[in-house]
Amino acid sequence: MCEECGCANRKILHVNKAVLAANDAMAGLNRKRIEAMGAVAINLMSSPGSGKTTLLEKTIDLVGDSLKIGVIEGDIETDRDAARIRARGIPAVQLTTGGACHLDAPLVHRGLYELEVQTPCGLDIIFIENVGNLVCPASFSLGEHKRVVLLSVPEGSDKPAKYPRAFMGSQVFVITKTDLMPYFDFSLAEAEKEALRLNPRLNILCLSSVNGDGMDGWIDYLNKLVNSPARTRARVVA
Ligand SMILES: Nc1nc2c(ncn2[C@@H]2O[C@H](COP(=O)(O)OP(=O)(O)OP(=O)(O)O)[C@@H](O)[C@H]2O)c(=O)[nH]1
Ligand SMILES: [Mg+2]
């Protein structure tokens, strides 16, 4: 490695750009496929254990009869999250990365194909649960329409400032496990202020999948998204 001019760094940068460009091209194809299925897709990103799958389970319990939901689960290993979703009668495809800390568009392309086979009548919403990680998923577009970043109360309210990219690139910020607020030193004001400083247009929701507080706001957001004119247009064109 050349210390003086940093040429090795430039090579790495070049490769990274090529990888991201190839990913973006496939993400564009994914978007077309999702819209051909009549659906909107939401990419869920957060640290491990912040409550992504539990939120999906609760969402299915509340609107699984009125909305056609499909789920793509991303994990490094195991199909446990997909099994949790299937146990509620909802089609779910498990993608395992075998070590990679994020999903990418080519992997999701395969997942979409499998989901399409399982749901010939189309879907309203496809949830893509990314690998538990607040860093790498932010760099890879999957073809989703919306990005939702989750942060749970036990993780601490300083996290938006420390992991800015996930918050900068998302449309919705969901603060989860609010039932644990009395037991943790979590400042809602700090989390909201830092997240809005990074991304003034963020839609912030607070909820608990355990006691149901705030779930109405989340469900309202999903219903509005499904009924949005842009999505209706996509369905007509598809
Ligand atoms: N108290 C409380 N616990 C919750 C809530 N949501 C999830 N949990 C618990 O948090 C733990 C992790 O939840 P998961 O939904 O599996 O988290 P995840 O983000 O899907 O985790 P990974 O897929 O491994 O990244 C489980 O023990 C859940 O029961 C909540 O709103 N309140
Ligand atoms: Mg999960």
Side-chain angles (χ1 to χ4, degrees), residues 13-52:
L13 204 65
H14 187 69
V15 171
N16 280 348
K17 272 190 180 162
V19 168
L20 288 177
N23 184 79
D24 283 351
M26 186 57 89
L29 295 178
N30 287 352
R31 174 73 74 97
K32 286 199 175 102
R33 183 156 222 153
I34 290 161
E35 291 179 355
M37 292 163 81
V40 285
I42 296 179
N43 181 0
L44 296 171
M45 305 184 300
S46 76
S47 307
S50 58
K52 297 179 291 299

Side-chain angles (χ1 to χ4, degrees), residues 12 14 19 23 29-30 36 51 54 73 119 127 142 144 222 229 231:
I12 291 169
H14 187 69
V19 168
N23 184 79
L29 295 178
N30 287 352
T54 310
E73 287 288 352
T119 56
F127 290 104
L142 307 176
E144 72 274 20
L222 296 179
R231 188 231 172 190

Side-chain angles (χ1 to χ4, degrees), residues 26-92:
M26 186 57 89
L29 295 178
N30 287 352
R31 174 73 74 97
K32 286 199 175 102
R33 183 156 222 153
I34 290 161
E35 291 179 355
M37 292 163 81
V40 285
I42 296 179
N43 181 0
L44 296 171
M45 305 184 300
S46 76
S47 307
S50 58
K52 297 179 291 299
T53 314
T54 310
L55 177 60
L56 291 182
E57 291 174 319
K58 191 78 179 178
T59 302
I60 290 163
D61 290 348
L62 292 171
V63 290
D65 288 338
S66 56
L67 296 179
K68 287 179 282 173
I69 296 174
V71 179
I72 293 178
E73 287 288 352
D75 273 300
I76 290 176
E77 293 290 348
T78 86
D79 69 346
R80 290 178 186 178
D81 280 2
R84 285 169 63 180
I85 300 298
R86 284 190 210 111
R88 281 173 153 74
I90 294 296

Side-chain angles (χ1 to χ4, degrees), residues 55-204:
L55 177 60
L56 291 182
E57 291 174 319
K58 191 78 179 178
T59 302
I60 290 163
D61 290 348
L62 292 171
V63 290
D65 288 338
S66 56
L67 296 179
K68 287 179 282 173
I69 296 174
V71 179
I72 293 178
E73 287 288 352
D75 273 300
I76 290 176
E77 293 290 348
T78 86
D79 69 346
R80 290 178 186 178
D81 280 2
R84 285 169 63 180
I85 300 298
R86 284 190 210 111
R88 281 173 153 74
I90 294 296
V93 173
Q94 181 76 50
L95 300 174
T96 47
T97 65
C101 53
H102 60 88
L103 290 175
D104 61 23
L107 196 53
V108 169
H109 196 72
R110 288 196 345 234
L112 285 169
Y113 177 76
E114 278 184 47
L115 197 57
E116 202 173 5
V117 170
Q118 291 180 37
T119 56
C121 297
L123 290 166
D124 293 315
I125 302 189
I126 298 173
F127 290 104
I128 305 172
E129 180 181 334
N130 221 308
V131 177
N133 184 325
L134 207 46
V135 183
C136 313
S139 297
F140 288 81
S141 170
L142 307 176
E144 72 274 20
H145 295 83
K146 300 289 178 193
R147 283 187 182 194
V148 174
V149 59
L150 294 81
L151 175 69
S152 65
V153 164
E155 290 171 71
S157 42
D158 58 340
K159 296 305 176 288
K162 293 175 74 174
Y163 301 92
R165 198 144 181 201
F167 295 84
M168 288 160 70
S170 293
Q171 287 74 45
V172 183
F173 171 25
V174 179
I175 297 172
T176 60
K177 308 194 188 181
T178 54
D179 57 295
L180 298 179
M181 231 29 130
Y183 313 106
F184 287 87
D185 184 19
F186 185 93
S187 163
L188 195 55
E190 180 191 21
E192 289 182 342
K193 187 172 154 216
E194 291 294 337
L196 288 172
R197 184 179 59 77
L198 294 163
N199 181 353
R201 294 216 302 248
L202 259 184
N203 179 4
I204 302 178

